Amino acid sequence: MPTPRINGVVETCLYSGDLSRSVRFYQDQLGLRLLESGERLCVFSVADKQVLLIFRSGGTMKAIPTPGGMIPPHEA
């Protein structure tokens, strides 16, 4: 059986201790388009078909309700 090929990543999560610095880096150095930014996370579009999420370290220790369901607590 051949090894499956990876054609992309739908969503990738990273953690940062300084979200504003991360936003500057991913926008200015990598040219990613910022979709959303807040105290807890920022969201970038990658090639208009993938998403990069950067969470503030320690900022997601409680479950977060959303219209689509609950985001469970998580940490790097």
Side-chain angles (χ1 to χ4, degrees):
M1 180 185 297
T3 303
R5 290 184 170 203
I6 297 173
N7 295 322
V9 176
V10 175
E11 181 179 289
T12 301
C13 260
L14 301 174
Y15 291 87
S16 171
D18 187 338
L19 281 182
S20 56
R21 184 175 179 195
S22 294
V23 167
R24 287 191 308 272
F25 174 78
Y26 284 95
Q27 281 184 313
D28 299 345
Q29 300 301 312
L30 300 180
L32 298 184
R33 184 168 51 98
L34 183 66
L35 300 176
E36 182 179 327
S37 183
E39 291 183 26
R40 190 176 72 81
L41 82 141
C42 53
V43 181
F44 290 95
S45 173
V46 180
D48 291 326
K49 61 182 179 181
Q50 299 165 336
V51 177
L52 171 63
L53 304 174
I54 303 178
F55 286 93
R56 181 174 52 84
S57 294
T60 313
M61 302 307 284
K62 294 182 188 176
I64 308 285
T66 70
M70 295 292 282
I71 298 174
H74 55 88
E75 181 62 306

